[in-house]
Amino acid sequence: MRILLTGSSGWLGRYLAPMLRRQGHEVVGLDVTPGDDTQVTGSVADLATVERAFSVGGIDAVVHAAALHKPDIARHPTQAFIDVNVTGTLNLLRTAVSAGVSRFVFTSTTSLMISQAIRDEASSAAAWLDEASGPLAPRNIYGVTKLAAEGLCRIFHLEHGLPCIVLRTSRFFPEDDDTLTEPSGENLKANELLHRRLTVEDAACAHVLALDQAPAVGFEVLVISAPPPFARAEAGAIKHDAKAVIRRLFPDAEALFSARGWELPKRIGRVYDPSRAERVIGFRAETDFAVVLDALRAGQPLPFAHDPTYVSPLERRRATSVERDVGVT
Ligand SMILES: NC(=O)c1ccc[n+]([C@@H]2O[C@H](COP(=O)([O-])OP(=O)(O)OC[C@H]3O[C@@H](n4cnc5c(N)ncnc54)[C@H](O)[C@@H]3O)[C@@H](O)[C@H]2O)c1
């Protein structure tokens, strides 16, 4: 297939574009910042740019991953989130329908399931989050606009029959968390693979499977994350004393962690459950917490990317233009 991939210069795009090509697809990349896999440079918020991307002809499928995301809240106004995440998605859906594409995959986020109450973790049990969770009350403009974009995907499926899969993806970024500083970056990522993270390779793989399955599936919203080792019945136990549950499941985990100066999490306040994605599109992340422990046991490199220096392409471009404006070279 000839696939239009938005966000092709980004962290996900740089893994997904080569993966799609290895599957025999042709990729047309669209991004507001230049990159090796980006042929069309411009904003998805600009309908003319989207139409220019489709004008190459023969686009069979769209993967829409371009977005302003959570760290961008500090750098961009609310209106920019509406323009990029909502209008941008509408531009792509409209043009995709006019072009008669056979499928549309939208990269959404588990973050839109996190209300202020879930974030505050005041409950006595971990919040168990899957596609049935609700009512949804996203706590910031990122979540609000991603939820709106999901709604647009839904109505384009209903009104135009466009096969569409929405992937509510958990964290896969390589940089440090923008709010948490403890524990250290690698330790935090390893801990998060228990309940709220996956590798970028697994995230890319979910997109490939969604593309394959969309025409048969019709419309779906799917949570995409590494499979948690806990059962839903343990939501209370992991909130009360996560270490005790982890020790039971992985008896050598604590020793392996201490040898590296790492700490297991004391409490876990939320779990993303990706089991529906496995049933519907056959997606199961390859890298989970057990794979991290295997690597630690074998003294092998960690099976996930960690790069505290990573800066998103859009932010790099913005920072460069600010420096230029204030005369820093
Ligand atoms: N990184 C994560 O942990 C994570 C978690 C959940 C969901 N997501 C979603 O995954 C997708 C990809 O994220 P990423 O981690 O690759 O981020 P990224 O910032 O590395 O890449 C996003 C890309 O989108 C591009 N972009 C931004 N505004 C644009 C516009 N107006 N028009 C065209 N391109 C534009 C940027 O230039 C960038 O290359 C996003 O939709 C994000 O919301 C990411």
Side-chain angles (χ1 to χ4, degrees), residues 239-261:
K239 181 67 196 301
H240 175 66
D241 185 356
K243 279 188 187 178
V245 180
I246 296 165
R247 274 189 213 110
R248 182 171 47 75
L249 294 170
F250 307 102
D252 62 348
E254 198 157 28
L256 290 166
F257 266 45
S258 327
R260 220 180 154 103

Side-chain angles (χ1 to χ4, degrees), residues 7 9-12 31-33 42-44 65-69 84 107-109 142 146 169-173 310 312-314:
S9 303
W11 177 241
L12 175 65
D31 200 297
V32 76
T33 48
S43 174
V44 293
L68 289 183
H69 54 125
V84 176
T107 317
S108 189
T109 173
Y142 173 52
K146 282 288 195 178
T169 309
S170 71
R171 319 181 129 194
F172 55 84
F173 57 79
Y310 179 79
S312 82
L314 190 62

